[in-house]
Short mmCIF file of all heavy atoms in Angstrom, two decimals:
data_model
loop_
_atom_site.label_atom_id
_atom_site.label_comp_id
_atom_site.label_asym_id
_atom_site.label_seq_id
_atom_site.Cartn_x
_atom_site.Cartn_y
_atom_site.Cartn_z
N ARG C 1050 164.48 104.56 31.22
CA ARG C 1050 164.32 104.03 32.57
C ARG C 1050 164.40 105.14 33.61
O ARG C 1050 163.69 105.11 34.61
CB ARG C 1050 165.39 102.97 32.84
CG ARG C 1050 165.33 102.41 34.24
CD ARG C 1050 165.46 100.91 34.21
NE ARG C 1050 165.53 100.35 35.54
CZ ARG C 1050 164.47 99.95 36.22
NH1 ARG C 1050 163.27 100.06 35.69
NH2 ARG C 1050 164.60 99.42 37.41
N ARG C 1053 161.09 106.76 34.14
CA ARG C 1053 160.17 105.93 34.95
C ARG C 1053 160.52 106.01 36.43
O ARG C 1053 159.64 106.09 37.27
CB ARG C 1053 160.23 104.48 34.47
CG ARG C 1053 159.57 104.27 33.15
CD ARG C 1053 159.58 102.82 32.80
NE ARG C 1053 158.93 102.61 31.51
CZ ARG C 1053 158.73 101.44 30.98
NH1 ARG C 1053 159.13 100.36 31.60
NH2 ARG C 1053 158.13 101.34 29.81
N VAL C 1054 161.79 105.98 36.74
CA VAL C 1054 162.21 106.04 38.14
C VAL C 1054 161.85 107.40 38.75
O VAL C 1054 161.34 107.47 39.86
CB VAL C 1054 163.73 105.76 38.26
CG1 VAL C 1054 164.22 106.04 39.67
CG2 VAL C 1054 164.04 104.32 37.87
N ALA C 1057 158.10 107.53 39.26
CA ALA C 1057 157.71 106.72 40.41
C ALA C 1057 158.07 107.43 41.71
O ALA C 1057 157.29 107.44 42.67
CB ALA C 1057 158.38 105.36 40.34
N LEU C 1199 150.78 103.29 45.46
CA LEU C 1199 151.78 102.21 45.53
C LEU C 1199 151.67 101.30 44.32
O LEU C 1199 152.69 100.88 43.75
CB LEU C 1199 151.61 101.42 46.82
CG LEU C 1199 152.03 102.15 48.10
CD1 LEU C 1199 151.72 101.28 49.32
CD2 LEU C 1199 153.49 102.51 48.07
N GLY C 1200 150.44 100.97 43.89
CA GLY C 1200 150.26 100.14 42.70
C GLY C 1200 150.80 100.81 41.45
O GLY C 1200 151.48 100.19 40.63
N THR C 1201 150.50 102.10 41.30
CA THR C 1201 151.00 102.84 40.15
C THR C 1201 152.51 102.94 40.18
O THR C 1201 153.19 102.75 39.16
CB THR C 1201 150.38 104.26 40.12
OG1 THR C 1201 148.97 104.15 40.12
CG2 THR C 1201 150.84 105.03 38.90
N THR C 1202 153.06 103.21 41.33
CA THR C 1202 154.52 103.30 41.46
C THR C 1202 155.18 101.97 41.13
O THR C 1202 156.17 101.92 40.41
CB THR C 1202 154.89 103.72 42.90
OG1 THR C 1202 154.26 104.95 43.20
CG2 THR C 1202 156.39 103.86 43.06
N TYR C 1203 154.59 100.88 41.61
CA TYR C 1203 155.15 99.55 41.32
C TYR C 1203 155.10 99.25 39.83
O TYR C 1203 156.08 98.78 39.25
CB TYR C 1203 154.39 98.49 42.10
CG TYR C 1203 154.87 97.09 41.82
CD1 TYR C 1203 156.05 96.62 42.38
CD2 TYR C 1203 154.15 96.23 40.99
CE1 TYR C 1203 156.52 95.35 42.11
CE2 TYR C 1203 154.61 94.96 40.71
CZ TYR C 1203 155.80 94.52 41.28
OH TYR C 1203 156.24 93.27 41.01
N SER C 1204 153.96 99.56 39.21
CA SER C 1204 153.86 99.24 37.78
C SER C 1204 154.77 100.12 36.93
O SER C 1204 155.29 99.67 35.92
CB SER C 1204 152.41 99.37 37.31
OG SER C 1204 152.00 100.72 37.35
N LEU C 1205 154.99 101.36 37.32
CA LEU C 1205 155.87 102.24 36.54
C LEU C 1205 157.34 101.93 36.77
O LEU C 1205 158.17 102.17 35.90
CB LEU C 1205 155.60 103.70 36.90
CG LEU C 1205 154.28 104.27 36.40
CD1 LEU C 1205 154.12 105.70 36.89
CD2 LEU C 1205 154.20 104.21 34.89
N SER C 1206 157.68 101.43 37.94
CA SER C 1206 159.09 101.17 38.21
C SER C 1206 159.47 99.71 38.05
O SER C 1206 160.59 99.32 38.30
CB SER C 1206 159.45 101.64 39.62
OG SER C 1206 158.76 100.86 40.56
N GLY C 1207 158.52 98.87 37.61
CA GLY C 1207 158.78 97.44 37.43
C GLY C 1207 159.84 97.19 36.36
O GLY C 1207 160.12 98.05 35.52
N ARG C 1208 160.40 96.01 36.41
CA ARG C 1208 161.43 95.68 35.42
C ARG C 1208 160.82 95.54 34.04
O ARG C 1208 159.69 95.08 33.88
CB ARG C 1208 162.11 94.39 35.82
CG ARG C 1208 162.89 94.54 37.09
CD ARG C 1208 163.62 93.27 37.38
NE ARG C 1208 164.37 93.45 38.62
CZ ARG C 1208 165.53 92.88 38.83
NH1 ARG C 1208 166.06 92.11 37.94
NH2 ARG C 1208 166.14 93.08 39.97
N ARG C 1209 161.58 95.88 33.08
CA ARG C 1209 161.13 95.78 31.70
C ARG C 1209 161.16 94.32 31.27
O ARG C 1209 162.04 93.56 31.65
CB ARG C 1209 162.02 96.60 30.81
CG ARG C 1209 161.97 98.08 31.18
CD ARG C 1209 163.11 98.82 30.59
NE ARG C 1209 162.79 99.34 29.28
CZ ARG C 1209 163.67 99.96 28.52
NH1 ARG C 1209 164.91 100.07 28.91
NH2 ARG C 1209 163.33 100.43 27.34
N THR C 1210 160.21 93.96 30.44
CA THR C 1210 160.18 92.58 29.93
C THR C 1210 161.22 92.45 28.83
O THR C 1210 161.80 93.44 28.34
CB THR C 1210 158.80 92.26 29.37
OG1 THR C 1210 158.53 93.11 28.27
CG2 THR C 1210 157.72 92.44 30.44
N ASP C 1213 160.40 94.52 25.80
CA ASP C 1213 160.71 95.95 25.94
C ASP C 1213 162.21 96.19 25.74
O ASP C 1213 162.61 97.18 25.16
CB ASP C 1213 160.31 96.46 27.32
CG ASP C 1213 158.81 96.59 27.50
OD1 ASP C 1213 158.11 96.62 26.45
OD2 ASP C 1213 158.35 96.65 28.65
N GLN C 1214 163.03 95.28 26.21
CA GLN C 1214 164.46 95.45 26.10
C GLN C 1214 164.94 95.29 24.68
O GLN C 1214 165.88 95.93 24.23
CB GLN C 1214 165.17 94.47 27.02
CG GLN C 1214 165.00 94.80 28.49
CD GLN C 1214 165.63 93.76 29.40
OE1 GLN C 1214 166.18 92.77 28.95
NE2 GLN C 1214 165.57 94.02 30.70
#
Side-chain angles (χ1 to χ4, degrees):
R1050 178 135 174 92
R1053 288 184 180 184
V1054 171
L1199 289 176
T1201 303
T1202 303
Y1203 178 76
S1204 68
L1205 289 177
S1206 65
R1208 294 184 180 214
R1209 298 163 90 185
T1210 63
D1213 287 342
Q1214 290 176 358

